[in-house]
Amino acid sequence: MKTRAIITFVLFPVCSWMVTASALAGDKTDSLERAAGMERFRQAASAEYVGSESCEVCHEKEFKEFQLSTHARIALPGENLKAQGCEMCHGPASAHVEEGGGRGVGIVNPKKDPAACFNCHQDKRLEFRLPYHHPVLEGKMSCTDCHSAHGEEIRPWSTTTLVDINEVCFKCHKEQRGPFVWEHEVIREGCTVCHKVHGSIHEKMLIARDSNLCLRCHTQVNFPTIGKSSHAGRLASGTCFSAGCHTAPHGSNFDEHLRY
Ligand code: HEC
Ligand code: HEC
Ligand code: HEC
Ligand code: HEC
Ligand code: HEC
Ligand code: HEC
Ligand code: HEC
């Protein structure tokens, strides 16, 4: 109950603020992209909001799945109050329902275009514009390659079993899966320990481009000794993971110090 109240009174205004801010800021491409996204909502806007209950008869699976989702607890303020539940992402759906449903019939499908998500998550659009990013804005992949749109676990990284945390990444990045003879223990905590996966200013979407990426964890009392050997000279010659040093940060089959 308490969580719900917080979401209602704190997060909804934040969300509407994001929408407003997005309407005010942005360059030309922004406006074009936004216009395209909003246009689809507007086309559908001759339609009315009919409420999530009316979807259940035909989309029982999505309906059931959605009940535990974070988005199921969101209500929008003001005139958008009705745009909740399924219709916050799929747009007002009366036309879709009256026509008896169908692909492309009076309904938005955000898989092809993340504009529906950006209506509220404007900051994410900016992350995908950083120099190194997953090609979502390019249309080569979608938010739902990593986030389950309807499920309880829209956060792929918060699943309760360790194995599953990185599972979503291994769908496409099989090389990092291993198993390795010498694992880098930290991988189990999640790829996001080192990567900002929406986008980053650093190559390979790293959180930091220099040795600080690794030194966050590998600094010990007698630094610059790391492990059993002094790294004083080595740290000056490049990053930990380039310069021919620990070039296998995800794990190695050949070397226990992850050098190759
Ligand atoms: C009378 C039955 C019916 C109702 C009610 C209904 N739909 Fe549909 N919907 C369909 C059918 C049939 C399809 C096409 C499915 C397919 O081809 O696999 C569909 C497709 C969709 C799609 C995919 C569209 C695309 O272009 O890929 C979405 C999203 C969708 N419905 C959302 C909703 C939402 C949200 C509601 C409630 C507001 C709703 N539907 C109510 C029957 C219905
Ligand atoms: C947070 C945004 C969001 C909400 C809320 C939402 N959906 Fe979706 N929905 C999506 C996205 C994104 C996709 C595309 C997923 C994919 O195919 O990877 C989708 C796809 C669908 C599809 C098409 C599935 C297919 O086979 O292509 C249906 C049907 C659907 N949603 C129904 C619903 C219903 C019913 C609700 C409410 C109970 C709902 N959605 C709520 C984002 C949302
Ligand atoms: C109507 C506004 C709205 C739309 C549309 C919307 N979201 Fe959200 N979303 C929210 C709010 C509000 C929260 C909860 C606050 C937060 O964590 O930012 C949230 C939370 C999330 C979270 C974090 C969940 C968690 O457990 O913390 C993810 C991931 C997410 N949304 C992805 C998406 C994706 C992907 C889409 C498009 C398919 C989408 N959202 C569409 C408003 C929206
Ligand atoms: C390559 C996989 C991937 C794609 C594609 C992706 N996400 Fe995420 N997303 C993640 C991961 C992993 C996190 C957790 C980030 C962390 O903990 O550092 C996350 C976190 C989030 C969050 C909540 C936490 C936060 O950073 O505020 C939101 C909201 C979100 N994503 C929205 C989106 C939207 C919207 C899209 C599509 C435009 C999208 N994501 C595409 C993997 C992805
Ligand atoms: C649906 C497939 C898919 C999923 C899921 C996915 N990625 Fe990616 N990833 C890609 C594509 C495509 C690229 C871009 C490759 C390119 O530009 O050559 C990429 C690039 C990367 C890169 C940069 C590679 C380079 O050489 O610059 C990293 C790091 C990365 N992904 C990590 C992750 C992580 C971590 C996850 C899980 C949160 C993840 N990816 C989920 C498809 C995916
Ligand atoms: C301990 C930090 C760390 C963690 C955790 C981590 N990575 Fe990386 N990753 C790196 C570094 C450093 C590079 C860049 C290597 C280079 O430039 O030679 C990299 C590069 C990549 C690349 C680009 C290809 C390559 O090998 O250069 C992909 C794809 C990738 N990582 C995916 C993942 C996935 C998937 C996970 C989770 C299973 C993950 N990473 C976890 C540090 C990490
Ligand atoms: C979030 C914490 C964390 C980060 C960040 C991290 N590591 Fe590790 N690393 C560990 C843990 C935990 C172990 C296993 C325990 C140990 O041996 O210290 C480990 C083990 C290692 C080992 C094997 C130990 C040995 O004896 O040689 C190497 C090499 C290593 N890490 C290199 C790196 C490099 C290179 C980076 C940056 C790309 C990095 N680590 C980033 C936590 C981390």
Side-chain angles (χ1 to χ4, degrees):
M1 234 21 231
K2 202 171 159 213
T3 324
R4 187 174 293 233
I6 290 171
I7 289 177
T8 311
F9 297 114
V10 181
L11 296 176
F12 303 166
V14 168
C15 180
S16 68
W17 174 82
M18 285 195 279
V19 176
T20 318
S22 77
L24 296 174
D27 53 28
K28 201 171 162 215
T29 344
D30 253 341
S31 350
L32 287 176
E33 278 168 14
R34 193 168 47 242
M38 294 312 287
E39 185 52 33
R40 267 173 296 120
F41 274 92
R42 227 177 285 122
Q43 276 169 6
S46 54
E48 305 283 322
Y49 288 105
V50 291
S52 300
E53 292 69 30
S54 50
C55 317
E56 190 180 3
V57 259
C58 302
H59 301 296
E60 204 190 342
K61 176 173 155 284
E62 284 84 0
F63 185 86
K64 281 220 176 99
E65 221 181 38
F66 185 63
Q67 300 313 311
L68 296 171
S69 151
T70 305
H71 291 101
R73 296 192 297 268
I74 294 167
L76 299 170
E79 289 186 3
N80 291 322
L81 183 62
K82 289 180 184 156
Q84 63 191 78
C86 316
E87 292 167 301
M88 84 173 61
C89 293
H90 293 298
S94 65
H96 178 75
V97 171
E98 279 156 24
E99 298 285 323
R103 295 220 174 254
V105 180
I107 200 87
V108 172
N109 187 341
K111 184 184 169 80
K112 297 265 183 287
D113 180 350
C117 313
F118 293 145
N119 283 340
C120 297
H121 298 288
Q122 181 63 20
D123 56 325
K124 297 292 166 276
R125 187 205 298 270
L126 300 178
E127 291 178 15
F128 283 101
R129 286 243 175 93
L130 294 172
Y132 303 95
H133 55 264
H134 272 104
V136 168
L137 297 180
E138 291 83 346
K140 290 184 188 153
M141 55 190 286
S142 87
C143 310
T144 50
D145 282 321
C146 299
H147 296 290
S148 144
H150 308 121
E152 184 178 0
E153 291 285 6
I154 194 165
R155 308 182 66 126
W157 60 99
S158 71
T159 32
T160 39
T161 58
L162 282 175
V163 196
D164 283 346
I165 293 178
N166 297 334
E167 211 52 42
V168 71
C169 314
F170 295 148
K171 276 195 297 185
C172 303
H173 300 291
K174 305 210 187 312
E175 268 180 46
Q176 281 73 25
R177 179 196 279 271
F180 298 106
V181 177
W182 283 282
E183 287 182 11
H184 191 187
E185 238 176 76
V186 65
I187 299 288
R188 297 187 196 184
E189 284 175 37
C191 311
T192 52
V193 167
C194 295
H195 294 287
K196 274 191 103 226
V197 302
H198 292 155
S200 164
I201 52 171
H202 306 304
E203 259 187 80
K204 319 261 175 172
M205 291 180 240
L206 290 170
I207 279 173
R209 71 154 125 234
D210 52 22
S211 296
N212 289 323
L213 180 68
C214 317
L215 293 178
R216 286 179 298 155
C217 297
H218 292 288
T219 310
Q220 41 192 74
V221 187
N222 56 350
F223 184 79
T225 296
I226 302 175
K228 291 185 188 122
S229 70
S230 172
H231 278 62
R234 296 173 196 161
L235 281 170
S237 62
T239 71
C240 311
F241 46 89
S242 61
C245 296
H246 305 283
T247 60
H250 305 106
S252 171
N253 288 325
F254 311 104
D255 179 63
E256 63 178 310
H257 303 305
L258 313 179
R259 284 172 299 194
Y260 30 80

